[in-house]
Amino acid sequence: MKSKSKFAGMIMLLLMFALTACSGGNGPNDGAAPSNPDTSTPGNEASAGQDPKEPVTIEFMGHGNPNEKKIFEKLIASFEEKYPNVTVKYTSVPPGEYSQKMTTLISSGKVPDVFYVGGPEFYRFAEAGTLLNIQSYLDQTSLFNPDNVWKQAMDRYRFDGSKVGAGDLYGLPKDVGPWSFVYNKDLFDEAGVPYPSATAGDWTWDDMLEAAQKLTVDDNGDGKPDQYGVGAYSLESAVWGNGGEYIDYATGTVKVNEPEFYEAMQFVADLNLKHKVSPNQEAEQAMNAYTRFINGQLAMFAMGPWDQPAFWELPFGWDIAAWPASPNTGQTATWLGSMGFAVSAKSKHPQEAFDLAAFLSLDEQGQRENYQLGQAVPNLIDMAEGEFKEMDKGPQTRQVFLDIIQDYGRPDVVAFSKDTQWLDTFNQNASKVWNGEMSAKDFTAQIQPKMQELYDKGNK
Ligand code: CA
């Protein structure tokens, strides 16, 4: 399978080099490109040797809510204006059905030219040869400057033949999602508690706990808080900040049974079990942390950039801060999600498909529209650090988003796994710790061998 897909990729590259009459490119076949007398005329590069007016239809499939669909319809209309010979057939699938739909299309050989791809799927598809190696397209494009795109986002879509994160590019980022710590300013003001710091390392777990205790209130004295200090605290943030790891991908060793991990997990569990500043499972089922925050009954919570439009409607003040640092290390961390655009290795119009992916990922006007609608942080660095940061809408401290992207955000745990059962098993059983049935130390000692077995089975 692997050598076959590599061979196909090589043919594709050779073909492209010939068609674009490239000399001195940076592709892996540098120097091997034959000079083809049938090459296209100069200045005809973008049409890959075809008549530029020949109509081309490319299929694009994504997922998302109706709002996202509307945005993409707009972006596609702008693309079609810029490339009058290209028609984009756009399908938006409900997020829950997307994965199954893609699997079906792949097995029936009907992969769309351009489509969304996330972490574990990116890995599987790249390895199976489903995705086009777009490195040489990127090296030759004049549509954007690759140095002006977050490296942290681009690297998610690299594949070196065996691992994700290095090698040639097989996708472009749709977005980066810095998972941020958000707080209700009004509740902090009412309780006379100073706001969390936006600077990483300033505010520790201890500071957070002290604030959460002051912000947990039982109004009617029935013993159940009507307002909580903190909810849905990120386990990844606690573990990574404490110097722990879920897994060492270099060796494939699951590390949840190490003290840095289970101490952090116990800290998160104790926010409820011991300190009662976070809703327990029963309270969470009655009203989830998101709704509680929206209702003004939760002081500290988490958000992604995509939550902005809903939060803009809130009747109270809010802002984002750095995730609290572990007092053991002084460090903080959080995850930086991402979704990407990939091009099918079987696309009959790879240049146009690449152009669409590049337009959706990196076109200046599209990126501007996207952030103004509160969908994402721009993929373009100069835009993110300029007009996006100056934007006159919450969160006020937008630098936190950028700090996460540049400094302490990390790919979600599954980003480098083909098969995620090892982590699914952990998450499905973690309630034993959250409800106090087991200590984090005992639980992780018990489940580590099972996780290791599943990881080895699905990923080695
Ligand atoms: Ca109460």
Side-chain angles (χ1 to χ4, degrees), residues 10 25 37 146 152 187 215-216 218 223 263 298-299 318 334 361 370 401 438 444 458:
M10 203 180 272
Q152 296 83 344
L187 295 184
L215 289 156
T216 301
D218 176 8
E263 283 166 13
L298 181 61
W318 58 277
T334 183
S361 174
N370 219 15
F401 282 148
M438 285 180 92
T444 53

Side-chain angles (χ1 to χ4, degrees), residues 119-398:
E121 280 172 341
F122 174 76
Y123 198 157
R124 285 199 298 273
F125 293 170
E127 192 176 52
T130 308
L131 311 183
L132 181 67
N133 181 338
I134 58 173
Q135 186 64 47
S136 52
Y137 293 81
L138 181 82
D139 294 341
Q140 289 167 41
T141 192
S142 54
L143 293 175
F144 62 91
N145 169 14
D147 292 338
N148 191 30
V149 186
W150 302 113
K151 185 180 181 304
Q152 296 83 344
M154 293 281 261
D155 284 352
R156 297 289 175 90
Y157 303 100
R158 296 189 183 281
F159 181 66
D160 67 4
S162 63
K163 278 206 174 92
V164 166
D168 284 353
L169 205 69
Y170 285 78
L172 287 170
K174 170 177 169 284
D175 55 27
V176 277
W179 192 238
S180 309
F181 189 69
V182 65
Y183 61 98
N184 179 324
K185 290 169 92 169
D186 289 14
L187 295 184
F188 272 76
D189 290 345
E190 280 165 28
V193 178
Y195 299 147
S197 172
T199 307
D202 270 6
W203 225 57
T204 66
W205 295 354
D206 298 333
D207 299 317
M208 192 268 287
L209 181 57
E210 197 187 324
Q213 283 166 333
K214 291 178 187 155
L215 289 156
T216 301
V217 183
D218 176 8
D219 284 328
N220 54 7
D222 68 351
K224 290 180 184 171
D226 306 286
Q227 175 187 309
Y228 286 92
V230 62
Y233 196 85
S234 164
L235 178 60
E236 291 94 333
S237 171
V239 166
W240 293 335
N242 201 39
E245 296 287 346
Y246 285 71
I247 189 167
D248 174 2
Y249 274 116
T251 59
T253 312
V254 176
K255 288 166 73 93
V256 299
N257 54 338
E258 296 189 357
E260 293 83 358
F261 189 103
Y262 64 70
E263 283 166 13
M265 188 179 191
Q266 195 62 54
F267 160 75
V268 175
D270 283 347
L271 291 174
N272 160 246
L273 297 173
K274 192 166 157 190
H275 306 293
K276 316 280 182 200
V277 297
S278 202
N280 62 18
Q281 288 193 312
E282 192 190 343
E284 178 73 22
Q285 271 158 19
M287 185 193 289
N288 67 27
Y290 179 87
T291 308
R292 217 176 275 276
F293 183 78
I294 293 284
N295 288 351
Q297 295 173 288
L298 181 61
M300 293 174 271
F301 181 50
M303 71 174 289
W306 52 88
D307 287 316
Q308 292 175 95
F311 286 17
W312 286 340
E313 307 296 321
L314 295 176
F316 55 82
W318 58 277
D319 202 359
I320 52 177
W323 280 92
S326 159
N328 304 320
T329 63
Q331 301 293 312
T332 190
T334 183
W335 56 268
L336 178 66
S338 181
M339 185 65 71
F341 298 114
V343 174
S344 165
K346 289 184 176 160
S347 173
K348 291 192 174 69
H349 308 287
Q351 184 64 56
E352 286 81 0
F354 172 80
D355 289 344
L356 175 65
F359 184 88
L360 296 176
S361 174
L362 301 162
D363 176 73
E364 196 181 321
Q365 190 50 43
Q367 286 291 296
R368 182 169 292 122
E369 201 161 304
N370 219 15
Y371 90 70
Q372 286 174 346
L373 290 163
Q375 291 300 301
V377 179
N379 291 327
L380 302 169
I381 296 172
D382 60 357
M383 185 180 288
E385 287 179 340
E387 58 192 86
F388 169 78
K389 219 172 84 177
E390 303 307 320
M391 191 182 180
D392 191 22
K393 273 185 169 175
Q396 212 176 343
T397 316
R398 290 176 167 258

